[in-house]
Amino acid sequence: AIEQAVKNVNDFVKPINNTLSFNLDQDTGQTVIKVVDLSTQEVIRQIPSEEMLAIAKALDTMKGLLVQQKA
């Protein structure tokens, strides 16, 4: 359902402003918004940042390890 909602938002926004892109991070399940320079395809801004996504993934891994150790 979230993937379909993200696709619907992208379809709606593209004709108005094609520098925005909405994606779903597969590892964390978070929605990622990117502002892209059309001429260079360079990501100008990303929310949440790559660093924050990496931290979220690391915390999720650590949480999984804690659960395994308690069991």
Side-chain angles (χ1 to χ4, degrees):
I2 294 175
E3 290 176 3
Q4 185 60 44
V6 169
K7 181 185 178 315
N8 290 345
V9 169
N10 271 329
D11 291 344
F12 178 77
V13 171
K14 277 265 191 248
I16 300 166
N17 186 347
N18 58 0
T19 62
L20 285 177
S21 115
F22 295 82
N23 301 299
L24 188 64
D25 183 71
Q26 296 300 317
D27 295 331
T28 63
Q30 290 186 342
T31 302
V32 178
I33 304 167
K34 293 181 182 179
V35 179
V36 180
D37 181 334
L38 292 178
S39 60
T40 64
Q41 295 301 309
E42 177 186 357
V43 175
I44 298 169
R45 180 89 166 131
Q46 176 177 317
I47 305 167
S49 67
E50 287 291 335
E51 293 82 8
M52 289 305 295
L53 288 173
I55 290 170
K57 291 173 193 174
L59 288 174
D60 193 43
T61 301
M62 289 174 55
K63 184 172 82 173
L65 291 173
L66 270 173
V67 170
Q68 286 178 352
Q69 287 180 353
K70 285 188 176 185

